[in-house]
Amino acid sequence: MDQTVPQVGSKACVLLADQGIGNAGLVSHLLYSEFQVVGTVYDGQAAVTATLALKPDVLLIDIILPRLHGLDVIRRLVALGVKSKMIVLTAVEDPEYVDEALKAGASGYVFKRRITSDLPMAVREALGGGIFVSSTRLGNC
């Protein structure tokens, strides 16, 4: 079941689209001091619908989603003129996917194994108009 709450307050609003139900709590915990997570959806079609309805400042989206692939969600939202910044949050660390996501209109690409160190920076960077991509170096966080 999708979970959404109305946007309130002055913090930038973030919507999460991820089929991993357990990731919502971690994302909320990592971002709560600076941002407000306004909802969680679990498939690509719901991501499009919720983004159009809630108009979040940032959409965090996994690539692998049921009903509509994450890259297709990004392409569709860009084509619809959505102003939300979109950051891919995924376990897929393939450079081709990074390139495709950025070409599609993503403002960032965060590897789930680097979520703790990279996600808050990626959201700040996207909101500032920049692009953030997790480092592919192993070992150092």
Side-chain angles (χ1 to χ4, degrees):
M1 181 172 168
D2 297 338
Q3 303 167 12
T4 57
V5 295
Q7 296 182 23
V8 295
S10 60
K11 291 182 178 182
C13 297
V14 177
L15 175 66
L16 174 64
D18 191 310
Q19 67 179 345
I21 293 171
N23 290 329
L26 177 58
V27 168
S28 292
H29 175 75
L30 289 171
L31 299 180
Y32 81 95
S33 66
E34 293 180 69
F35 312 104
Q36 179 184 4
V37 178
V38 295
T40 302
V41 295
Y42 304 101
D43 70 70
Q45 187 57 51
V48 172
T49 302
T51 301
L52 294 173
L54 295 173
K55 297 176 178 51
D57 299 298
V58 177
L59 170 64
L60 300 176
I61 186 164
D62 199 347
I63 285 180
I64 309 301
L65 289 173
R67 296 186 64 206
L68 190 61
H69 192 273
L71 294 179
D72 292 329
V73 171
I74 294 169
R75 289 182 190 105
R76 186 172 294 179
L77 291 171
V78 167
L80 291 169
V82 169
K83 301 296 182 205
S84 302
K85 302 295 183 181
M86 292 171 264
I87 299 171
V88 173
L89 176 61
T90 188
V92 179
E93 298 189 21
D94 185 328
E96 290 182 26
Y97 275 98
V98 175
D99 290 342
E100 283 301 311
L102 297 177
K103 286 178 189 173
S107 296
Y109 198 101
V110 175
F111 303 146
K112 284 185 178 176
R113 71 176 170 88
R114 297 186 55 89
I115 190 171
T116 302
S117 61
D118 290 1
L119 186 59
M121 287 189 297
V123 174
R124 285 191 295 271
E125 186 71 24
L127 289 170
I131 293 176
F132 181 96
V133 176
S134 287
S135 171
T136 57
R137 292 185 312 196
L138 298 175
N140 297 334
C141 294

